[in-house]
Amino acid sequence: MTQRILLTGNGAAAWGARLARSDYIPAFPITPQTEIIESIAAWVEQGEMDARLVTLESEHSMVTAAGAAAATGVRVFSATSSQGLLYAMEMLYTVAGWRAPFVLVNVSRGLSAPITLEPDHNDILAARDSGFLQLHCATCQEVLDSVLLAFRLAEDRRIRLPVIVNLDGFYLSFTREPVNLPDLGSVDSFLPPFDPENIRFRASAPISQAVAVLGGSPYSYFRYETHLAALHGLGVYDEIACDFARTFGRRHPAVESYRMDDAQWAFVMIGSFATKAREAVDRLREIGWRIGLIRPRLLRPFPVSTLRHLCSGLRGAAVIDQNLSIGFGGVLHGELCAALYGETKAPRTLVSFIGGLGGRDISDEEFFEMAAVVRRAADAGQTPAPRLLYTEDELRELRTLQAVAHSERNDLGARSKTT
Amino acid sequence: MNDTAFRRMKDLPSTHLLGTGTPMCAGCGGLEALHQIYDVLGERTVFVNAAGCMTLLSVYPFTPFRGSWLYAAMASAPAGAQGIRDALDILLAHGRIRTEDDLQPVVLTGDGAAYGMGLSATSGAIERNLDFLYICYDNEGYGNTGQQYSAATPHAARTSTSRGVHGYAGEKKDLFAIWAAHRPAYVATVVGAEPLDLARKVETAKRLTGPRLIIALAPCPTGWDFDPQDAVAIGKLAVKTGIWPLKEYRDGQIRHTKMPHPRLPVEGYLKRQGRFAHLFAPQRNEKLLREIQSGVDRYWQQLEGIRAAPGGGGACT
């Protein structure tokens, strides 16, 4: 029977791993993810979860162990954040190449330098091309559900790739929301035991995995094969999401669209800040805007045709990136432009906004302003350069911090000269 | 002390398990050791490899191994062994595989990974008391990339990144001591040129559980600059000159398994290798030769108690 309880995003991720009957949890602590492995460790110690949790000495080793265990045929769950994900980056590419299916939760956090604890999406987007599929969550319920969906997706024999489930640090990881906890029986019927088929190490059936290749031809073949498997994920995801809706009564489409039916304008963004965009849509609708929200949940494989369909006929859209590709701009903006280029009914105006870096808030007023900028741009027929969201108040506060820094430095300099 | 079945040379395995025709160089001391090690370990093994020369053993679609193989990455082969061991244990505990399907994870890396990048992962695996075997083939440099110096390079050796008249300024890191300081189940040094000693140690390691680590000195014709046919002779000289002590660590004790009697002057070992040619020509570099010899002397003197004869050879009789 379904239970409704208050859970943090981290708690929801841990429950997802538990309900999925994960066999093996290679772990390494990092803020803001740590609560996930602490929860699982407690369950394992108390005998409430039949799994083995092993703390490795780094995320690089953690992902290696995760991939190796998945390649031996057990169900593997792991979690990390930010610097940890980047420390493991070599192995993200490697274990995806092994075609080792497992689920890794990333609790997004801005990257150093400067070092911070608060969220943005540069960490997860650094893994964009690794071969891991990616699911992006906006609510705690979605985190739990996505972990279950991710195991089905990863283990599907048409795919066989690891999957990252992403949630935003602090905004989701430490925020309590009511979450429907599915009963184990339903989860078991939705997610049967992992069948490793031929990907496994057994004495009676020796195999070599991840061997070297000589030359570009075999290399290209295996890379193409992995890419095509990831693309299968689009159709397979839809199947799995339907099955999930039938089993649990909750729909999690590859792309969430909110009030898009008659929309002329849209916000496009991923992650928990999209709930703010949703709120802004309602407010703008009240004053007569035909505006909606497009929120890709599945980012790899990239749901190109769904996005084309949703954007078809729009006059303009604000693409809000909670990341910054230094020297380029917003990653999602670039990807959406690529998806829509050449489509006859694609919106002429896609304006790029960078916001929410390092947990910086995006206020209602900023959403309204972004909508207005898009409208003016569409009317003028000219797309403005990407906007880096920052308010006058913020700048004033930063100037104060700078003044303090300068005065401290001068003060210190004066003192060191006198001694 | 030898409690294995290997009492004399004729007791060594006569069937050879590792396939031939690999891309290793002619005279590779690492491959020589691996052949012998594999004959003792057998095919119920999964080799977890880190970036190095032996990554080229398994090149699609060929492998010389009768058992299994996983290429991980340079820094994390022990973590790969951890994942496999843990997964097999989980499967065994739940009866999801038969006990006959169990495998022994064997980490196989060069000195580049073992002495440097992979040391943290190895330390972690030992501290977690992982039941695995680690084989390091030590050719004393980043051999696969053309023998740049590594943390395993001996003092004064010429490498691709230490081409000056003094060779490599640093000292070879004592990986045996670092590993032994973790108090694992077993640590040993071996060399392919001493097959009986090697087989006994691998057999001992095979019977134990927990972390077991073996460093095989791997005379390297291309990296050390000698004729491939001299590989065995150079391996034997490494032992007879005392520069490569054959020893094992077990139950908190270090035991030397072959005492060089008489201990030959280290020059005889150095002279056979182009990487030390600058010590002899255009003129002898007495200072460096003395440094190397006294380093070896110090090792054995500390071991056997201080003796009166520094330098030269045959100090310990």
Side-chain angles (χ1 to χ4, degrees):
Chain A
M1 206 185 72
T2 299
Q3 224 186 321
R4 194 167 168 81
I5 59 171
L6 275 176
L7 282 181
T8 61
N10 282 343
W15 266 104
R18 175 172 165 171
L19 290 168
R21 297 187 190 274
S22 304
D23 289 309
Y24 185 51
I25 296 96
F28 191 83
I30 181 169
T31 304
Q33 165 281 124
T34 309
E35 185 191 358
I36 299 175
I37 58 163
E38 283 178 347
S39 306
I40 294 174
W43 290 332
V44 171
E45 277 174 10
Q46 291 154 16
E48 293 175 44
M49 185 173 168
D50 183 14
R52 180 179 292 217
L53 181 141
V54 174
T55 301
L56 279 293
E57 76 295 334
S58 75
E59 292 89 351
H60 188 278
S61 282
M62 178 187 88
V63 173
T64 306
T72 310
V74 298
R75 184 168 284 161
V76 180
F77 174 89
S78 189
T80 190
S81 288
S82 186
Q83 307 301 132
L85 190 74
L86 264 73
Y87 197 72
M89 188 58 69
E90 179 191 23
M91 295 317 296
L92 296 185
Y93 277 74
T94 302
V95 298
W98 296 355
R99 308 293 298 276
F102 67 97
V103 175
L104 175 69
V105 163
N106 182 63
V107 184
S108 266
R109 165 182 149 189
L111 294 172
S112 185
I115 187 92
T116 183
L117 295 175
E118 295 196 55
D120 66 41
H121 297 151
N122 264 97
D123 59 353
I124 179 68
L125 291 174
R128 184 189 63 172
D129 305 331
S130 65
F132 273 68
L133 309 187
Q134 292 192 8
L135 286 169
H136 289 253
C137 303
T139 67
C140 294
Q141 181 72 61
E142 213 181 314
V143 171
L144 190 155
D145 293 352
S146 294
V147 170
L148 303 178
L149 287 159
F151 274 113
R152 272 282 296 270
L153 194 61
E155 293 169 7
D156 191 286
R157 66 196 313 261
R158 292 162 288 182
I159 299 177
R160 295 272 161 166
L161 285 169
V163 179
I164 293 176
V165 174
N166 199 68
L167 60 138
D168 293 320
F170 292 79
Y171 287 85
L172 272 191
S173 67
F174 301 143
T175 302
R176 273 172 211 283
E177 292 178 348
V179 173
N180 286 320
L181 211 56
D183 68 281
L184 201 50
S186 311
V187 176
D188 286 344
S189 70
F190 172 72
L191 181 65
F194 172 39
D195 177 4
E197 296 185 48
N198 57 343
I199 305 179
R200 54 185 200 163
F201 290 111
R202 302 288 182 268
S204 58
I207 51 164
S208 298
Q209 294 200 46
V211 298
V213 294
L214 292 180
S217 176
Y219 181 81
S220 299
Y221 178 86
F222 292 117
R223 298 297 289 174
Y224 289 166
E225 196 178 53
T226 307
H227 171 62
L228 295 172
L231 289 181
H232 281 151
L234 292 166
V236 173
Y237 181 84
D238 288 345
E239 277 175 33
I240 292 169
C242 282
D243 197 16
F244 190 92
R246 272 196 301 275
T247 311
F248 303 104
R250 289 186 294 279
R251 289 188 61 250
H252 294 295
V255 183
E256 182 200 0
S257 60
Y258 180 66
R259 303 188 83 165
M260 285 300 297
D261 284 351
D262 63 342
Q264 290 184 318
W265 312 98
F267 295 119
V268 184
M269 63 189 307
I270 56 175
S272 65
F273 274 35
T275 57
K276 294 166 180 283
R278 214 173 147 109
E279 179 68 19
V281 164
D282 288 344
R283 302 276 296 276
L284 287 164
R285 283 265 173 185
E286 283 167 19
I287 57 167
W289 281 69
R290 286 162 61 188
I291 190 166
L293 165 70
I294 298 170
R295 178 176 69 91
R297 279 179 26 79
L298 190 61
L299 206 72
R300 281 292 179 275
F302 197 53
V304 170
S305 62
T306 309
L307 290 168
R308 281 179 183 159
H309 172 73
L310 286 168
C311 291
S312 177
L314 289 180
R315 288 194 59 206
V319 186
I320 304 161
D321 273 287
Q322 207 177 340
N323 66 77
L324 183 54
S325 170
I326 305 287
F328 172 70
V331 172
L332 186 59
H333 179 258
E335 298 223 324
L336 190 65
C337 288
L340 298 182
Y341 185 81
E343 293 292 299
T344 48
K345 294 184 76 182
R348 291 272 310 280
T349 308
L350 285 181
V351 189
S352 172
F353 297 92
I354 307 296
L357 299 189
R360 179 199 176 273
D361 196 14
I362 304 177
S363 66
D364 291 348
E365 291 71 23
E366 285 176 303
F367 279 103
F368 305 150
E369 176 62 17
M370 285 188 273
V373 167
V374 172
R375 186 171 217 157
R376 284 198 297 272
D379 290 344
Q382 274 191 327
T383 300
R387 296 287 182 95
L388 310 176
L389 299 186
Y390 217 67
T391 62
E392 281 179 15
D393 283 350
E394 275 180 292
L395 194 58
R396 230 182 346 264
E397 281 166 24
L398 193 86
R399 293 289 180 238
T400 310
L401 294 179
Q402 282 178 320
V404 172
H406 287 146
S407 113
E408 286 287 312
R409 187 172 61 192
N410 294 338
D411 195 29
L412 197 66
R415 261 183 285 156
S416 64
K417 267 176 211 152
T418 57
T419 52
Chain B
M1 189 181 74
N2 170 42
D3 52 6
T4 73
F6 302 122
R7 284 189 303 273
R8 55 187 86 81
M9 287 293 278
K10 75 176 187 55
D11 297 330
L12 296 178
S14 54
T15 52
H16 299 300
L17 295 179
L18 196 72
T20 53
T22 70
M24 296 299 102
C25 305
C28 172
L31 189 64
E32 178 197 18
L34 181 65
H35 262 289
Q36 300 170 31
I37 290 166
Y38 199 46
D39 287 343
V40 178
L41 286 182
E43 54 202 73
R44 278 183 58 178
T45 42
V46 47
F47 278 76
V48 187
N49 176 236
C53 296
M54 292 205 184
T55 300
L56 294 174
L57 283 176
S58 291
V59 176
Y60 190 78
F62 301 112
T63 178
F65 292 93
R66 297 187 186 208
S68 292
W69 167 273
L70 175 70
Y71 171 72
M74 190 157 184
S76 62
Q82 178 90 44
I84 294 173
R85 181 68 268 156
D86 287 339
L88 289 168
D89 286 345
I90 290 165
L91 293 166
L92 287 166
H94 288 102
R96 281 149 67 184
I97 57 168
R98 298 169 302 145
T99 46
E100 306 89 84
D101 263 338
D102 192 19
L103 291 162
Q104 174 73 249
V106 181
V107 168
L108 177 68
T109 85
D111 53 282
Y115 284 72
M117 200 191 274
L119 196 48
S120 164
T122 311
S123 176
I126 303 173
E127 132 212 337
R128 294 186 296 270
N129 201 31
L130 179 67
D131 185 21
F132 81 123
L133 194 65
Y134 192 131
I135 307 291
C136 166
Y137 54 96
D138 181 358
N139 68 353
E140 306 193 317
Y142 294 107
N144 202 33
T145 46
Q147 199 69 6
Q148 298 76 31
Y149 65 77
S150 77
T153 299
H155 188 55
R158 189 194 66 211
T159 69
S160 307
T161 43
S162 58
R163 292 181 188 276
V165 289
H166 303 295
Y168 176 58
E171 300 280 347
K172 186 177 176 76
K173 190 189 277 183
D174 190 351
L175 187 63
F176 180 93
I178 293 169
W179 280 354
H182 290 72
R183 308 184 72 76
Y186 190 69
V187 187
T189 58
V190 300
V191 62
E194 296 290 346
L196 196 56
D197 179 76
L198 180 148
R200 287 171 178 169
K201 285 170 174 167
V202 176
E203 177 64 25
T204 302
K206 187 183 175 184
R207 289 183 190 175
L208 295 168
T209 55
R212 293 148 288 153
L213 307 101
I214 294 175
I215 315 173
L217 184 71
C220 172
T222 47
W224 297 7
D225 189 12
F226 63 79
D227 192 310
Q229 69 179 344
D230 293 342
V232 174
I234 287 172
K236 283 192 181 297
L237 277 170
V239 176
K240 285 180 177 164
T241 59
I243 203 164
W244 185 248
L246 293 175
K247 53 186 172 179
E248 61 185 3
Y249 164 92
R250 198 176 164 183
D251 299 327
Q253 300 294 318
I254 294 171
R255 195 176 70 85
H256 284 70
T257 54
K258 212 171 180 86
M259 304 299 278
H261 287 297
R263 183 153 56 83
L264 304 180
V266 78
E267 257 192 66
Y269 171 73
L270 304 175
K271 262 187 178 156
R272 302 283 292 263
Q273 306 169 48
R275 64 174 173 160
F276 293 113
H278 56 288
L279 302 183
F280 302 98
Q283 65 269 337
R284 285 173 62 88
N285 189 328
E286 297 296 351
K287 180 173 172 290
L288 277 177
L289 285 168
R290 227 175 11 252
E291 277 177 21
I292 296 169
Q293 184 63 59
S294 59
V296 176
D297 292 345
R298 246 190 335 270
Y299 177 88
W300 292 99
Q301 280 160 10
Q302 274 169 9
L303 189 73
E304 299 172 12
I306 307 299
R307 300 207 178 190
C316 4
T317 49

